[in-house]
Amino acid sequence: MKYEKKIYFDHAATAPLLKEAKAAMEPFLGEDFENPASGYTPAAKCREAVENARGQMAYFMRARPEEIFFTSGGTESDNWAIRGAVELEKKRGNHIITTQIEHPAVLNTCKYLEKQGCRVTYLPVDHRGVVSVEDVKNAITAETVLISVMYANNEVGTIEPVRAIGRVAAAAGILFHVDAVQAFGQISIFPESMGIDLMSISGHKFGGPKGIGALYVNRQVPFGPLIFGGGQESGMRSGTTNVPGIVGMAAAASQWNRNRERWNRSERRIRDYFVRRALKEIPGATLTGSAENRLSGNAHITIPASNGIECIRALDERGIMASTGSACSTGRKKISHVLLAMGYPEEADYAALRFTFGPENTPEEVDEALEVLKSL
């Protein structure tokens, strides 16, 4: 479909590449193409660019450069963190604590490990999508080796009590992993001060390129390698270094670090305008997730007697891009595992729609989207 114009409300899926990230990448997509592992002089420029980017990412986390390992993205980082923690602590036990609303990269890794003999506790959440700190504490056993809780939910935008859970994990001497893929950039996160041992991020969620991410590993955690080979990433993650991706991600993180307060304020203004009008003008529309503790750009709503797929299709025809929390399978509407965990019925006659805004969105764009939804 060729759009006359594009209105993009799906930043949680992927954010537009920031012009600063693109500019930082361009030299390493052309003239400075060398493999940083090579021994000749031009390759040194690539190595220097990678290490400068590592230092930048560490600075934004108040971490040390040797605690930052570049990966292909959030999914790889989640897999490495969880499987690596289980391998590291296998003499201690095989129990993992997580929540029912985690990203599939976490949930499916845990399901795989269950088949390998691990025991996993999937904690419930309340109607806002918030996990109870007391539930986390009460789930700990003598064999617990890892607690994995996302910083902010990718569907409804709810922010979890990560700092409090970090204190619980630290007091029990248990490794704590946080999937910060949706939150990093949007929120300042300093893992060591929050009791986070392992943290996953993904570059394309905050204006960097796709195919690049990172895993923070606290220097006191004797973590093992993910991929064996030529010894890149200090021997922890072998494979040819993605120089343009790494440089672009660091440039995007730098822009968020510099503009966060202003961009968050812009996102909140657009989000609140959308929510205020949607709840007033669309019969029965409700906001899901926490009304107070949520990502600044996230508006997740349900509309009764509607079909999410049809809503997205109607928006798409007008060049408006958003997403739905429901999927259609063999003619039956089913909601996501996140809404199910939050207490929504398994089979329900409503649409769940996610609008995730960026700092470039305008009230006029919101007006167009609301006119389409109201017409349905």
Side-chain angles (χ1 to χ4, degrees):
M1 178 182 296
K2 186 176 181 180
Y3 301 117
E4 292 184 7
K5 60 181 176 179
K6 289 169 60 174
I7 298 176
Y8 190 68
F9 292 150
D10 202 16
H11 290 72
T14 191
L17 183 68
L18 291 172
K19 64 180 186 298
E20 294 84 0
K22 182 180 179 182
M25 294 169 65
E26 282 178 347
F28 302 98
L29 293 168
E31 181 180 355
D32 299 317
F33 61 88
E34 292 82 11
N35 189 326
S38 299
Y40 33 77
T41 300
K45 184 175 182 179
C46 297
R47 284 197 300 275
E48 182 180 3
V50 168
E51 294 313 312
N52 285 343
R54 194 187 312 277
Q56 283 184 288
M57 297 301 294
Y59 173 78
F60 301 141
M61 302 182 205
R62 301 298 186 266
R64 299 186 182 187
E66 60 268 26
E67 296 177 313
I68 308 300
F69 299 95
F70 295 120
T71 68
S72 66
T75 293
E76 182 183 312
S77 295
D78 284 342
N79 273 257
W80 188 10
I82 295 169
R83 295 176 67 175
V86 168
E87 176 66 23
L88 177 64
E89 299 281 71
K90 61 184 178 182
K91 291 184 179 179
R92 173 175 175 170
N94 64 355
H95 178 228
I96 302 168
I97 298 171
T98 189
T99 79
Q100 296 175 1
I101 64 166
E102 298 298 309
H103 189 276
V106 170
L107 293 178
N108 288 336
T109 301
C110 288
K111 290 174 183 177
Y112 165 81
L113 289 170
E114 282 185 295
K115 295 178 181 179
Q116 309 306 310
C118 288
R119 187 169 66 87
V120 182
T121 297
Y122 300 93
L123 294 176
V125 295
D126 64 17
H127 69 285
R128 302 166 300 163
V130 180
V131 67
S132 163
V133 178
E134 280 301 305
D135 283 353
V136 174
K137 188 175 182 179
N138 293 336
I140 294 173
T141 73
E143 294 190 338
T144 303
V145 297
L146 177 68
I147 298 170
S148 180
V149 177
M150 60 180 16
Y151 202 111
N153 185 262
N154 53 300
E155 291 190 30
V156 300
T158 294
I159 297 172
E160 301 297 335
V162 170
R163 188 178 294 274
I165 296 171
R167 289 195 292 267
V168 169
I174 297 169
L175 292 177
F176 182 33
H177 166 244
V178 170
D179 177 340
V181 166
Q182 289 293 327
F184 187 85
Q186 294 271 338
I187 300 171
S188 296
I189 308 174
F190 309 132
E192 185 170 7
S193 68
M194 301 178 72
I196 299 171
D197 299 297
L198 306 159
M199 188 173 78
S200 307
I201 69 170
S202 181
H204 74 101
K205 301 295 187 179
F206 52 88
K210 300 175 183 67
I212 189 67
L215 179 67
Y216 160 84
V217 180
N218 186 286
R219 60 190 176 279
Q220 298 179 2
V221 178
F223 224 51
L226 168 67
I227 299 173
F228 297 94
Q232 290 86 348
E233 291 302 292
S234 300
M236 294 285 279
R237 198 266 186 187
S238 294
T240 304
T241 303
N242 180 0
V243 181
I246 290 168
V247 170
M249 178 171 67
S254 179
Q255 288 303 306
W256 268 100
N257 193 59
R258 182 177 296 115
N259 298 291
R260 183 179 293 110
E261 184 176 341
R262 178 167 59 90
W263 287 356
N264 281 166
R265 187 166 56 246
S266 176
E267 290 177 344
R268 283 193 297 270
R269 184 167 59 248
I270 295 297
R271 179 200 67 192
D272 292 346
Y273 176 66
F274 172 85
V275 171
R276 184 169 59 251
R277 284 198 58 193
L279 301 192
K280 180 181 179 181
E281 300 174 29
I282 301 175
T286 59
L287 179 70
T288 55
S290 172
E292 301 82 20
N293 297 317
R294 69 188 302 130
L295 293 173
S296 59
N298 181 291
H300 191 282
I301 63 171
T302 58
I303 303 175
S306 298
N307 182 298
I309 301 299
E310 292 176 359
C311 289
I312 294 301
R313 185 179 297 119
L315 289 165
D316 183 43
E317 289 173 355
R318 292 279 293 272
I320 302 168
M321 287 158 278
S323 63
T324 176
S326 59
C328 189
S329 176
T330 61
R332 303 173 70 193
K333 288 184 289 184
K334 295 183 179 181
I335 64 171
S336 74
H337 71 284
V338 174
L339 293 183
L340 189 62
M342 291 167 60
Y344 288 79
E346 185 171 2
E347 298 292 339
D349 188 24
Y350 62 84
L353 302 175
R354 183 186 71 178
F355 291 77
T356 45
F357 306 105
E360 78 281 4
N361 289 132
T362 66
E364 292 74 20
E365 292 175 330
V366 168
D367 292 342
E368 290 198 41
L370 287 170
E371 288 306 310
V372 174
L373 293 178
K374 288 163 63 176
S375 73
L376 295 173

